[in-house]
Amino acid sequence: KRVPIDKCTSQRCIRALKTVKADHAPPQLYTWRWKCSSAVTPRITSHYTICPRDKDPRWEGVEMERFADEADVVIVGGGPAGLSAAIRLKQLANEQEKELRVCLVEKASQIGAHTLSGACLEPSALNELFSDWKERGAPLNTPVTEDVFSLLTKKYRIPIPMLPGLPMNNHGNYIVRLGHFVRWLGEQAEELGVEIYPGYAAAEDVFERGMELHAKVTLFGEGCHGHLAKQLYRQFNLRENCEPQTYAIGLKEVWLIDEKKWRPGRVEHSVGWPLNRNTYGGSFLYHLNEGEPLVALGFVVGLDYTNPYLSPFREFQRWKHHPFIAKTLEGGNRIAYGARALNEGGYQCLPKVTFPGGMLIGCSPGFMNVPKIKGTHTAMKSGMLAAEAIFPKVTAKDLASETAGLHVPEYEDNLKKSWIWKELYSVRNIRPSFHNYFGLYGGMVYTGVFYWILRGKEPWTLKHAGLDSAQLRPAKECTAIEYPKPDGKLSFDLLSSVALSGTNHEGDQPPHLTLKDDSVPVANNLAIYDGPEQRFCPAGVYEYVPLETGEGMRLQINAQNCVHCKTCDIKDPSQNINWVVPEGSGGPAYNGM
């Protein structure tokens, strides 16, 4: 199910595209050629966003007519923000005995299948949404019982005290499998009358246009670096008065470990090795309490790193060999893998979140509290605030039009009065404080002095480094990183890891990893940066292979491997990659990630 935005400003239309196999020959994605000046460039991109349908013979004779339907509110994205907004809208409608049609569309095959997070959940927003969440059976099974924070060197661990009031303190929080929690939210939403439309896979050998959903207001809760949000930023100039967003990539695994090593409720975080002091990042290892000895572990790398030879995936695999980590995993069995990008810009990078006909919620604009490594509670609260601002508008009896797009600036006003704004403002300087000569160590000192003592009340606001895509240095200025080979016990190769994500895309669809110019990867990325997309992608999507002639190289895109993390769109130094949504249901099939 695809949801490209209708560019009509008088009416917000969400187009949910049901795409199934076309009755045309599969495109030869890597063998077409076109001429650019005197050079011959392998044709890579065949997606309709680059090759318009009216000029592509594969679309000849395909029926393009759509059916249309109307709703009061359409929500794009079935994550914590979108579902919380939908639930709150129906709660208000039921309380006031008003009819309200709320439709939620989600690109995954089922709610929660594309959801991935640590996750250590702060229950503040959940308490507001459902005060009786325990009685309703919310899957918060593991209260935090132990908090451990470490600075790692190559062989040793330096314990760091977790003082009350520091952002990483997890007293009162819960370790959760966020996919299961989101699925539970979906069940609560459906019980209240929300219409949920998850994606669906190919069913027959035809192409069928999907339905248009016309709404008075559309909420965009696509998650980090959403496909539609990118268009909205440009169309409405929403990032005019904020800094460019900065990101990280988070990689995660779930392990079944030796029961003797299992400590349910234990939360471990670390910084330091294997990253150097000038590369922002860290790790987590959470002991779940779900009837069997499971741990969730992961590694986060800031995408403002400078060395094009760095591989976040291989740093993650190397980290697991540290003696402090390995002792938990030895003898265990890895059962799941995944990755996603994270917003790390915080307060300085928040865009304008309202525009005619819609608004941005959750991780789409970027409400993650980076020092806490938490964004679920702020995402949920933003969805609830959006719902409360929308409700009186869409149910007003004096509406000029039943479906004309409404502008609801009250949502942004309410955000600035909420605890979300106060929380993000108080930690605004922690992430950018790492941009100093001492890197990690300077940032830790800053956090200890200015946050723990002043609680973010210092009278200045630090700036981030700028676009993550602009931070890479040319390969000739950097030292290649020699990574150890995976041992198949603690560390693993990339493709066997992707296999654990359940990722699948129909092979005969045009790749959803599109290039604005097919000649740029070899001419720029490979020539200057030694092909960094081969290393920053956590799924083996990009690789440079020899041309069939034996002279030169070409970029091959293995789009079927894509886990939808969006890292390529963010980190590409040429900003030539444009991630767009694939066919409905395509992508990872996470189970409680």
Side-chain angles (χ1 to χ4, degrees), residues 118-273:
C120 194
L121 176 68
E122 183 175 313
S124 50
L126 178 60
N127 288 332
E128 295 180 26
L129 189 63
F130 290 116
S131 59
D132 60 344
W133 57 264
K134 290 183 180 179
E135 290 75 14
R136 290 173 174 267
L140 277 66
N141 305 314
T142 313
V144 174
T145 59
E146 189 178 359
D147 232 339
V148 176
F149 192 71
S150 308
L151 172 63
L152 301 182
T153 65
K154 188 172 183 178
K155 295 183 178 180
Y156 301 103
R157 167 187 176 255
I158 302 171
I160 297 175
M162 189 56 61
L163 301 173
L166 284 175
M168 297 285 285
N169 191 299
N170 284 290
H171 179 74
N173 296 334
Y174 292 81
I175 304 170
V176 301
R177 300 177 71 174
L178 194 63
H180 291 169
F181 176 68
V182 166
R183 187 167 62 197
W184 175 82
L185 283 177
E187 294 167 357
Q188 308 309 304
E190 287 187 313
E191 286 181 12
L192 288 165
V194 176
E195 298 176 35
I196 296 179
Y197 299 100
Y200 35 87
E204 53 188 343
D205 289 338
V206 296
F207 170 85
E208 183 179 338
R209 293 281 271 175
M211 182 181 292
E212 283 185 1
L213 288 175
H214 296 226
K216 301 167 188 173
V217 182
T218 299
L219 305 187
F220 295 86
E222 305 169 274
C224 177
H225 206 65
H227 169 60
L228 298 181
K230 290 188 299 182
Q231 300 176 49
L232 292 166
Y233 292 144
R234 293 191 295 268
Q235 183 175 346
F236 294 103
N237 202 19
L238 300 178
R239 302 202 67 89
E240 180 181 17
N241 298 312
C242 68
E243 291 186 39
Q245 184 62 263
T246 185
Y247 301 87
I249 178 174
L251 305 103
K252 178 182 177 181
E253 295 175 351
V254 176
W255 282 60
L256 190 64
I257 64 168
D258 184 338
E259 192 164 358
K260 296 176 183 177
K261 303 175 182 179
W262 182 39
R263 302 174 68 170
R266 179 180 169 97
V267 166
E268 301 177 19
H269 292 100
S270 75
V271 293
W273 189 88

Side-chain angles (χ1 to χ4, degrees), residues 443-464:
M444 292 177 68
V445 170
Y446 186 97
T447 301
V449 174
F450 290 102
Y451 182 80
W452 192 62
I453 296 175
L454 298 179
R455 291 294 190 269
K457 295 178 181 178
E458 60 267 34
W460 58 80
T461 297
L462 302 178
K463 289 188 175 182
H464 295 284

Side-chain angles (χ1 to χ4, degrees), residues 267-506:
V267 166
E268 301 177 19
H269 292 100
S270 75
V271 293
W273 189 88
L275 301 177
N276 63 33
R277 73 175 192 270
N278 295 120
T279 302
Y280 186 86
S283 73
F284 64 87
L285 197 158
Y286 302 154
H287 292 245
L288 292 151
N289 187 15
E290 299 196 356
E292 54 184 345
L294 291 174
V295 294
L297 57 145
F299 201 78
V300 176
V301 179
L303 289 178
D304 54 357
Y305 67 82
T306 60
N307 188 340
Y309 291 109
L310 188 146
S311 165
F313 172 81
R314 298 185 77 175
E315 296 290 350
F316 177 29
Q317 299 306 309
R318 180 159 64 168
W319 164 79
K320 290 183 289 180
H321 285 274
H322 190 281
F324 185 66
I325 308 302
K327 66 180 183 180
T328 299
L329 302 179
E330 287 170 346
N333 181 35
R334 186 179 67 150
I335 60 174
Y337 167 82
R340 59 162 289 192
L342 316 170
N343 294 297
E344 288 207 332
Y347 175 82
Q348 293 91 319
C349 301
L350 291 176
K352 183 177 175 59
V353 294
T354 65
F355 48 90
M359 51 188 65
L360 302 171
I361 58 175
C363 288
S364 184
F367 293 121
M368 180 175 168
N369 183 324
V370 178
K372 280 187 175 182
I373 324 180
K374 292 176 181 60
T376 302
H377 66 302
T378 50
M380 292 177 67
K381 180 63 175 178
S382 72
M384 294 158 64
L385 289 170
E388 289 162 1
I390 289 169
F391 182 75
K393 300 275 188 177
V394 296
T395 57
K397 294 182 179 180
D398 58 349
L399 278 177
S401 167
E402 286 296 312
T403 56
L406 298 173
H407 189 201
V408 189
E410 291 85 354
Y411 165 52
E412 188 157 328
D413 297 337
N414 294 343
L415 266 175
K416 292 178 179 178
K417 298 173 186 174
S418 73
W419 53 258
I420 294 178
W421 212 260
K422 294 175 183 176
E423 185 173 311
L424 294 185
Y425 183 80
S426 70
V427 299
R428 70 195 183 282
N429 287 331
I430 294 179
R431 175 66 173 90
S433 73
F434 282 72
H435 293 293
N436 66 84
Y437 175 78
F438 299 103
L440 166 66
Y441 309 112
M444 292 177 68
V445 170
Y446 186 97
T447 301
V449 174
F450 290 102
Y451 182 80
W452 192 62
I453 296 175
L454 298 179
R455 291 294 190 269
K457 295 178 181 178
E458 60 267 34
W460 58 80
T461 297
L462 302 178
K463 289 188 175 182
H464 295 284
L467 286 169
D468 293 335
S469 58
Q471 305 308 311
L472 283 183
R473 293 160 54 197
K476 65 182 181 181
E477 299 177 10
C478 300
T479 302
I481 301 174
E482 295 293 331
Y483 290 104
K485 291 182 179 180
D487 67 356
K489 298 177 181 178
L490 296 180
S491 53
F492 303 90
D493 66 89
L494 192 55
L495 293 183
S496 68
S497 301
V498 175
L500 291 177
S501 70
T503 297
N504 182 60
H505 297 85
E506 289 294 334

